[in-house]
Amino acid sequence: MRMKTLLAGSVLMGLAASFVAPAIAEDSVYIQLPTYRTGPYAGSGIHIANGMSDYLAMINARDGGVNGVKIDFDECETGYDTQKGVECYEQAKAKNTLVFNPWSTGITLQVIPKSSVDKIPVLSMAYGLSAAADGNTFPWVFNPPDTYWDGLSAIIKYIGEQEGGMEGLKGKKIGYIFLDAGYGREPIPLLDNLAQKYGFEVLQYPVAGKEMQNQSSQWLSIRRDRPDYVVMWGWGAMNPTAIKEAVKNRFDMSKFIGVWWAGGDEDARAGGAGAKGYKSVSFNNVGADYPALQDIKKLVVDAGNSHTPADTIGENLYNRGVVNALYMVEAIRTAQEMTGKKVINAEDMRLGLENLKIDEARLEAIGLKGMIAPIEITCSNHSGHHPLFIQEWDGEKWTSATDWFSPLTEEVTPILMQASKDYATSNAPWPTRDDACPAN
Amino acid sequence: MDMLYNILIDPFVQMVDAPDFLIQVVWEGFVAGVLYALIALGFVLIYKASGVFNFAQGIMVVFAGLSLVGLHQKGVPAWLALILAIGIMAILAVCIEKFVMRPLVGQPDIILLMATIGMTYFLIGLGEVIFGGEPKQMITSELGLPTGSTAFEMGERGLVILQHIDIAAAVIALLMVGGLAVFFNRTRIGRALRAVADDHTAALSVGISLNQIWAIVWFAAGIVALATGIMWGARSDVSFALEIVALKALPVLILGGFTSIPGAIIGGLIIGIGEKVGEIYWGGLVGGGIESWLAYVIALVFLLFRPQGLFGEKIIERI
């Protein structure tokens, strides 16, 4: 009797599985999230990873996925190590990821040549190779909402405004303290170019990765050189150490401006009361009052399905992780609409990214109105060079120091297009785009 | 000609022109050197007692610092957290002796080195599991350590800023060195430890417990690691990136010798001051960033003339 029951049960289970399995396969898409919750850069990486994971989990919990298609996601720990990142890419490829988010300029530079061969879009949100904004040359790489060059030009524009106009930059000294890696070196060609154009002097202060917590030499040099402003391109443990050193050396914090990745809450908090006035350029607002973030709190964090401490929801880097996930979700939605397919593949995802448009109405519907500026990516412009703003640390939290303003797009674009051409030439034979973008 | 001027003359002109800045550079180098010396001390202690190059000393610094801050974050008062952190380092020392050192007695040195490398990665993983990967703020003021700074004006624009925590680091380092010197030279355990360092077998034959000595020395290295973690953590924060900084002790050890406590201190100061002065006054000639390798160059130059280091024991093997 027991044997019969067992057999009958097994047959029924097999039958059920044969019906259920295809249904799961058809109703889900896979995205790998390369993250770094460990290592010297974890201080920045954890918040980003939490934001990304929580948003995707919330979309699954609240909406049942994107138009009913669940997002099956998992994390691959890179430790911000390029070699590990490339291994994650290979794993993601094997599991048919829709998109690859390297979360490291070093990893991005490694996977760019692979992406066009493997036909996997690379979404390097506001990092990576600036020249990749040229969709004609880099059809598989996306860097919205702004490139590093946009970020740098926005900072220089802001400094110019503080000096009474761009002509006020003439004769000024601008220090550039940066992580001595692909990430930190990326804006240097533009910085040199703008220095030549506006007549300011650039003083470089590289910080080696293994010396991130030992920056006294760099800050002594800054103290000796007395730059009028210091711009920082830091990440991970470099940021809080730099801010502490700036405070220690009594540098005027109102003249210390970081890129968006040097704008973590914990980065600034490390400087204590002395960090008040520190600034960073940004493309997202802080705060947890957005309806979508409240849904995350209710459906994901409070439900115990997250690594996120509830009090970090709404912090700068957390919200930025949410923005990255938002881009992916909206690109899936766009691709579904364009292809008519529910379950899309990586090539469809590229189409979705290339036609991504998130306007005010859509942001309101999503529940993130006001967190970011509307964005639009096109076939030829994979970044969009969107408006940015400067935020300021008030001693406890980030506040907006300016309205949204455009970077120096007109000045950056010709240099960026030239850099794109140079990249293709130096990596010849660089694959040409199959479908030419319509002329804008 | 310009190049020669920039190398041989200009740096010294700068030093004379801005003596306050030179004092600041030397002070910063001194403080960095003290911290390097503290890390190197941990290496020396273990090498002296067991001939093992403890690759895990860096992660012990991080682990000790994280234990202290982690306990405080869980609501434990700062001083109790400090005592508990010392206890954790004691337990760690006993575990290392029992589960790593004891089974490997008599194995070649390279095996013991590999074991400490293994311990490094084990402790990284354990630390991340227990405390998470996020950097943590050192509880400097809660521990009663001084914060803030004192500035001394020199001339019209001259200014020397001394951080109180840096002064405390220097004092604590000196106290630790003094304490360890007394411990090694004036106590029974210290003499036993030196005996073990000289010859394991001979020490065993006169009734010295190798296991006990090793546990004690690993515990002492743990205390040094905790002091280093507190001091360095106060300067930046406590994160796993500190583990890499700890490798700065390598040139210090080459310079000072692997077996000398005064050598670790003098070596640390030479490296600390040398790299800061080198970076500030000569680094700009090659685009900066020479600090990360200058320490090794200084150590290599010394190695050419004194392979055993400044204070290391010269080993003469007769054939």
Side-chain angles (χ1 to χ4, degrees):
Chain A
M1 183 64 193
R2 276 186 184 171
M3 197 62 189
K4 272 186 183 175
T5 312
L6 196 65
L7 277 171
S10 302
V11 170
L12 279 172
M13 275 173 63
L15 278 171
S18 65
F19 286 110
V20 171
I24 289 170
E26 277 172 16
D27 288 335
S28 70
V29 287
Y30 172 72
I31 294 177
Q32 186 208 63
L33 302 178
T35 54
Y36 30 100
R37 293 181 181 275
T38 64
Y41 301 90
S44 302
I46 286 173
H47 300 288
I48 299 278
N50 286 344
M52 282 197 296
S53 298
D54 288 354
Y55 188 79
L56 296 182
M58 185 274 284
I59 292 292
N60 282 340
R62 188 189 66 185
D63 306 338
V66 187
N67 291 321
V69 179
K70 286 253 183 192
I71 303 167
D72 175 21
F73 64 93
D74 56 22
E75 293 186 18
C76 184
E77 174 69 32
T78 70
Y80 200 68
D81 179 88
T82 300
Q83 193 187 334
K84 282 188 197 165
V86 173
E87 286 169 17
C88 286
Y89 174 85
E90 293 300 333
Q91 287 171 24
K93 182 173 80 175
K95 291 171 80 174
N96 296 321
T97 190
L98 284 188
V99 60
F100 187 74
N101 303 266
W103 276 107
S104 146
T105 295
I107 300 170
T108 308
L109 296 176
Q110 289 294 312
V111 300
I112 282 175
K114 294 170 181 280
S115 63
S116 55
V117 177
D118 299 328
K119 298 195 182 305
I120 297 173
V122 171
L123 175 57
S124 49
M125 183 188 76
Y127 59 88
L129 182 70
S130 298
D134 175 12
N136 280 302
T137 306
F138 299 94
W140 292 91
V141 189
F142 298 84
N143 49 6
D146 289 279
T147 68
Y148 279 143
W149 290 9
D150 294 320
L152 179 73
S153 74
I155 292 173
I156 298 297
K157 187 176 177 181
Y158 171 76
I159 293 173
E161 280 169 10
Q162 304 310 299
E163 295 298 324
M166 298 304 276
E167 61 281 1
L169 290 171
K170 196 174 173 66
K172 296 287 176 200
K173 287 198 280 190
I174 297 181
Y176 179 63
I177 184 164
F178 62 101
L179 183 63
D180 197 6
Y183 156 60
R185 288 191 289 267
E186 172 66 18
I188 291 175
L190 180 71
L191 187 58
D192 290 340
N193 193 293
L194 293 176
Q196 204 173 13
K197 179 169 181 183
Y198 293 110
F200 60 84
E201 185 187 351
V202 176
L203 305 164
Q204 292 186 19
Y205 307 100
V207 177
K210 61 182 179 183
E211 299 278 353
M212 287 192 299
Q213 292 192 290
N214 190 18
Q215 292 178 40
S216 57
S217 293
Q218 285 82 359
W219 285 93
L220 280 170
S221 300
I222 287 170
R223 191 174 143 190
R224 175 195 58 197
D225 299 341
R226 299 174 194 270
D228 297 287
Y229 291 85
V230 169
V231 175
M232 174 158 71
W233 236 252
W235 190 227
M238 176 178 161
N239 294 336
T241 309
I243 292 169
K244 273 191 167 184
E245 285 285 345
V247 173
K248 190 174 118 183
N249 283 280
R250 303 184 178 187
F251 187 80
D252 181 353
M253 297 305 281
S254 68
K255 297 191 170 180
F256 185 19
I257 308 160
V259 68
W260 37 73
W261 303 125
D265 288 60
E266 283 171 19
D267 298 340
R269 207 171 281 137
K276 197 174 169 183
Y278 170 66
K279 294 179 176 62
S280 84
V281 66
S282 188
F283 56 87
N284 65 277
N285 273 305
V286 296
D289 293 335
Y290 303 97
L293 295 194
Q294 289 302 310
D295 287 342
I296 287 178
K297 188 170 181 308
K298 189 171 77 181
L299 300 171
V300 184
V301 178
D302 291 349
N305 298 322
S306 169
H307 297 289
T308 309
D311 60 348
T312 63
I313 297 174
E315 287 193 349
N316 202 15
L317 294 184
Y318 180 87
N319 284 8
R320 206 162 285 161
V322 167
V323 174
N324 193 128
L326 163 75
Y327 288 170
M328 289 191 283
V329 168
E330 293 307 302
I332 293 171
R333 200 184 305 279
T334 307
Q336 286 171 330
E337 285 165 12
M338 293 185 74
T339 61
K341 292 195 265 181
K342 277 185 83 178
V343 178
I344 61 163
N345 60 26
E347 290 190 57
D348 301 326
M349 183 69 171
R350 192 199 82 173
L351 197 63
L353 282 164
E354 208 155 62
N355 292 279
L356 183 64
K357 186 176 179 182
I358 309 174
D359 56 18
E360 289 285 7
R362 183 66 201 143
L363 281 171
E364 186 157 18
I366 292 166
L368 289 173
K369 190 179 179 202
M371 183 193 273
I372 57 170
I375 75 154
E376 184 171 3
I377 301 174
T378 64
C379 175
S380 59
N381 188 343
H382 280 195
S383 168
H385 315 298
H386 294 94
L388 296 158
F389 69 99
I390 301 289
Q391 60 180 8
E392 182 174 330
W393 184 253
D394 72 359
E396 290 178 359
K397 62 183 186 310
W398 290 106
T399 56
S400 297
T402 67
D403 285 332
W404 295 92
F405 65 94
S406 294
L408 299 170
T409 309
E410 284 180 15
E411 294 174 44
V412 170
T413 302
I415 310 166
L416 191 140
M417 296 309 284
Q418 186 57 48
S420 166
K421 272 185 196 160
D422 292 346
Y423 182 98
T425 308
S426 60
N427 290 278
W430 187 249
T432 51
R433 194 185 165 104
D434 298 336
D435 50 333
C437 291
N440 287 331
Chain B
M1 200 61 191
D2 279 355
M3 179 61 106
L4 280 176
Y5 175 83
N6 289 336
I7 295 171
L8 300 174
I9 309 291
D10 188 52
F12 299 101
V13 172
Q14 287 181 44
M15 290 178 197
V16 173
D17 279 353
D20 62 306
F21 187 67
L22 175 63
I23 292 169
Q24 187 77 61
V25 171
V26 172
W27 169 251
E28 291 291 337
F30 174 79
V31 175
V34 164
L35 293 171
Y36 296 158
L38 272 177
I39 301 170
L41 256 182
F43 282 100
V44 168
L45 281 174
I46 289 171
Y47 192 84
K48 261 177 94 78
S50 54
V52 177
F53 178 80
N54 178 26
F55 194 83
Q57 188 64 28
I59 190 63
M60 282 171 67
V61 170
V62 178
F63 197 81
L66 284 176
S67 300
L68 172 63
V69 181
L71 283 166
H72 184 63
Q73 283 183 343
K74 296 262 186 281
V76 180
W79 280 100
L80 183 58
L82 181 65
I83 293 164
L84 290 174
I86 292 170
I88 288 171
M89 297 318 284
I91 293 167
L92 185 68
V94 172
C95 290
I96 289 171
E97 187 282 316
K98 191 165 183 181
F99 300 114
V100 182
M101 299 300 291
R102 203 183 295 179
L104 294 178
V105 167
Q107 296 295 320
D109 290 349
I110 186 72
I111 300 294
L112 293 168
L113 170 67
M114 296 308 286
T116 65
I117 293 174
M119 266 161 43
T120 301
Y121 288 97
F122 172 73
L123 287 176
I124 289 174
L126 185 66
E128 283 170 345
V129 167
I130 298 172
F131 305 109
E134 284 184 290
K136 292 180 171 48
Q137 297 278 316
M138 179 45 68
I139 47 172
T140 315
S141 51
E142 290 87 342
L143 287 171
L145 290 167
T147 53
S149 60
T150 301
F152 300 96
E153 288 183 12
M154 287 181 69
E156 282 182 17
R157 294 183 68 188
L159 189 69
V160 177
I161 306 168
L162 303 184
Q163 300 295 317
H164 297 162
I165 187 69
D166 292 345
I167 299 168
V171 172
I172 288 171
L174 285 173
L175 288 175
M176 290 202 86
V177 172
L180 286 168
V182 170
F183 176 71
F184 269 93
N185 295 312
R186 305 276 178 208
T187 66
R188 200 158 169 263
I189 294 174
R191 279 196 295 276
L193 209 147
R194 279 158 55 208
V196 170
D198 280 347
D199 192 323
H200 291 177
T201 320
L204 275 170
S205 69
V206 293
I208 294 171
S209 165
L210 212 57
N211 299 339
Q212 192 186 19
I213 291 297
W214 276 346
I216 289 170
V217 85
W218 277 88
F219 176 52
I223 299 290
V224 172
L226 181 58
T228 316
I230 292 170
M231 292 306 157
W232 210 302
R235 280 170 70 88
S236 50
D237 52 22
V238 189
S239 81
F240 286 89
L242 270 182
E243 194 248 327
I244 311 169
V245 177
L247 291 180
K248 265 292 175 66
L250 285 177
V252 174
L253 291 168
I254 295 170
L255 196 58
F258 278 74
T259 53
S260 167
I261 291 174
I265 300 297
I266 302 294
L269 295 181
I270 292 174
I271 294 289
I273 295 171
E275 68 175 17
K276 291 285 179 272
V277 170
E279 174 71 46
I280 298 297
Y281 292 102
W282 282 272
L285 297 174
V286 289
I290 66 171
E291 192 177 9
S292 55
W293 52 263
L294 186 65
Y296 290 89
V297 173
I298 296 171
L300 276 173
V301 171
F302 270 83
L303 206 57
L304 288 175
F305 299 100
R306 275 190 70 85
Q308 70 276 30
L310 278 176
F311 297 88
E313 292 157 11
K314 193 166 187 176
I315 297 164
I316 301 167
E317 289 188 9
R318 298 186 194 284
I319 302 168

